[in-house]
Amino acid sequence: MSNEHMPKQNTVIVKATEWFARLAILNLMWLLFSLPIITILPATEGLYYSLYRIRQHQEKHPYKQFLTYFKAEFLNSYKRNWPLIVLSVIFGIDFLILWNRSAIPEWFSIVSVAIGLLFVLFLIVTSYYFAVAQQTERPLKEQWLLSFYLIVKYPLISISTFLFFAVSMVVYIFWPAFAVFFLISFPAFVSYLAVEKVLKKMTSKK
C-alpha cells in the first residue's frame, strides 16, 4: 500500500517515527563526536546543519551530512564560536565557586540566582544562534543580534521553547535512557523549528 492510500493518522505516525529515528541517530553521533569535549562546537554545528538539510528535503540520511560538515568546518567552527568557549569557561568557574558555598556570604545567593538566569538565557540564545546560522546568510555579529532579537520579539515562542527544554531535562533525569537518543538532538530540533517559525513571521510581515 502506497502512502497516498494510507489513512492520514498512519501517515503522521510514519513521519513522526522517521523524525524520531533521525533525531536518535544525530544524537548518538553528537555524543560520539563530542567525547573529546573540545569537539562539542563542530559536533553541535554539524547537528544543526543536518537538521537544516533534512528540513529542506535535501538529505534523508543525516549521518552523511553530519560527517561532511564536521570534517569541512572543524577548524572554522572554533574561529566563529570562540566567544562561546570564553562564556562557557566563565560560567563554569562561577558554578564551581557557587558549589563551594561554605566560603561564600549568605547574601551571595542572590548573585547565584542571577547567574543561573543568565546561564538559562545564554543556553536559549545559543540554541537560537545555531539555528539562525543555518537558516540565514548574515555576518556573525548579526546572527547573534538576530537570535537575541527573535527571543525578545516573540516571547510566547521563546517561553514555549524554554518549557520544552525544561520538560526534556526532567524526562532525561527520570528516564536517562531517553538522554542517550535525544539529549541534544530534540532540544536542537525544537529551537530550529522555533527559529524557522519566527523567521517566516518576519518575512510575511515585509
Side-chain angles (χ1 to χ4, degrees):
M1 182 182 294
S2 64
N3 290 342
E4 296 179 358
H5 298 90
M6 290 176 64
K8 187 175 181 179
Q9 293 90 339
N10 290 352
T11 303
V12 172
I13 292 173
V14 169
K15 289 183 177 179
T17 303
E18 289 178 351
W19 265 106
F20 276 116
R22 290 166 178 166
L23 291 177
I25 292 172
L26 284 173
N27 197 76
L28 289 171
M29 294 191 69
W30 184 88
L31 289 173
L32 178 63
F33 283 82
S34 297
L35 282 177
I37 304 299
I38 60 172
T39 56
I40 287 179
L41 281 177
T44 303
E45 280 196 345
L47 189 152
Y48 275 88
Y49 177 71
S50 300
L51 289 174
Y52 167 76
R53 292 297 295 260
I54 296 171
R55 288 291 293 170
Q56 297 298 313
H57 305 289
Q58 296 175 349
E59 183 61 61
K60 292 184 178 180
H61 306 290
Y63 60 88
K64 292 182 179 179
Q65 291 303 320
F66 185 100
L67 288 173
T68 301
Y69 190 93
F70 186 88
K71 293 176 182 177
E73 298 294 326
F74 184 83
L75 293 177
N76 289 331
S77 66
Y78 294 103
K79 296 177 182 178
R80 284 190 295 266
N81 302 308
W82 65 266
L84 286 178
I85 300 175
V86 175
L87 289 173
S88 298
V89 170
I90 292 173
F91 277 116
I93 294 173
D94 289 338
F95 287 130
L96 284 175
I97 295 174
L98 293 173
W99 186 262
N100 185 24
R101 290 183 56 174
S102 59
I104 296 176
E106 197 64 32
W107 59 266
F108 204 74
S109 58
I110 299 175
V111 178
S112 65
V113 172
I115 293 174
L117 292 175
L118 283 174
F119 183 68
V120 170
L121 179 62
F122 168 70
L123 290 179
I124 297 175
V125 173
T126 300
S127 67
Y128 268 51
Y129 157 71
F130 281 117
V132 166
Q134 296 301 332
Q135 297 183 51
T136 65
E137 295 182 0
R138 294 169 179 260
L140 184 61
K141 184 178 179 180
E142 290 186 15
Q143 290 176 353
W144 279 106
L145 291 174
L146 178 60
S147 302
F148 188 79
Y149 172 78
L150 294 178
I151 291 173
V152 176
K153 178 70 174 179
Y154 302 95
L156 291 179
I157 295 177
S158 303
I159 293 171
S160 299
T161 303
F162 169 73
L163 291 177
F164 269 113
F165 288 180
V167 171
S168 299
M169 292 303 108
V170 172
V171 171
Y172 300 152
I173 291 171
F174 286 96
W175 294 281
F178 283 98
V180 177
F181 298 101
F182 305 108
L183 176 64
I184 296 298
S185 62
F186 184 71
F189 182 56
V190 170
S191 64
Y192 186 94
L193 292 180
V195 169
E196 186 178 70
K197 185 177 183 65
V198 294
L199 286 178
K200 285 182 179 178
K201 283 189 173 184
M202 287 181 61
T203 305
S204 63
K205 289 181 179 180
K206 292 181 179 181

